[in-house]
Amino acid sequence: MEVLFDGRGAAPAGLRDAAAQRLHGALRRFAWLVVRVRVRMSDVNGPRGGLDKRCQVALEPATGRPVLAESAAGDWQAALGQAAERAGAAIARVRRRLREIPRVRARRRPDAAALPTCGRPDRGTRRRWRPAGRPDRRGPPAA
């Protein structure tokens, strides 16, 4: 799993190693599924403060579309931690979808009341249900 880091604005220089370590920990179960991770850190408001530290994590799985996780917090470590947790949950959902087997619905048998009657009192008044395309093996009706 390759981790690419892009720190825009006033992102601290030591954050690159922390981001790689945090993402490896959060995504270690799915390291075989994720080819590349792109981390983008940005300071939205600049020096004004508030919840302005934004972290975007883009995961590129081996199959399917890229997955994006984003968070905003008051400091860099919190934003990175929230985004890593969200990325782990998102890739777990992708894995769950990959494992799901599409279920094929069985054909429903028609209701007995909807079947045509054959009018033979010795055999009952309803025909046996047969799948479409299969001939009736009972032979011609008795006289």
Side-chain angles (χ1 to χ4, degrees):
M1 180 171 65
E2 180 184 11
V3 178
L4 304 174
F5 186 82
D6 180 20
R8 294 183 178 191
L15 200 57
R16 177 186 307 261
D17 295 331
Q21 191 174 32
R22 182 72 170 104
L23 287 166
H24 277 291
L27 303 173
R28 72 173 163 256
R29 291 188 317 162
F30 306 107
W32 60 273
L33 181 61
V34 178
V35 176
R36 188 172 296 113
V37 179
R38 295 180 190 273
V39 181
R40 178 175 290 160
M41 305 290 285
S42 59
D43 192 356
V44 180
N45 288 345
R48 284 187 265 164
L51 295 179
D52 63 341
K53 310 302 193 255
R54 186 169 61 181
C55 178
Q56 293 177 332
V57 177
L59 305 172
E60 295 179 21
T63 59
R65 297 180 300 189
V67 176
L68 182 69
E70 186 176 8
S71 79
D75 65 339
W76 298 108
Q77 293 292 332
L80 178 63
Q82 289 173 1
E85 287 177 19
R86 289 177 183 173
I91 202 68
R93 282 192 301 273
V94 168
R95 169 70 174 131
R96 193 173 327 122
R97 287 184 196 127
L98 286 175
R99 287 187 65 191
E100 287 179 356
I101 299 170
R103 305 218 185 271
V104 178
R105 288 188 172 187
R107 279 193 332 185
R108 289 186 52 165
R109 295 180 72 172
D111 187 20
L115 292 174
T117 60
C118 65
R120 291 185 57 192
D122 60 330
R123 298 262 179 142
T125 57
R126 305 227 185 266
R127 285 190 184 162
R128 269 181 34 188
W129 178 83
R130 297 263 181 211
R134 292 186 62 190
D136 194 357
R137 293 192 197 119
R138 287 187 283 179

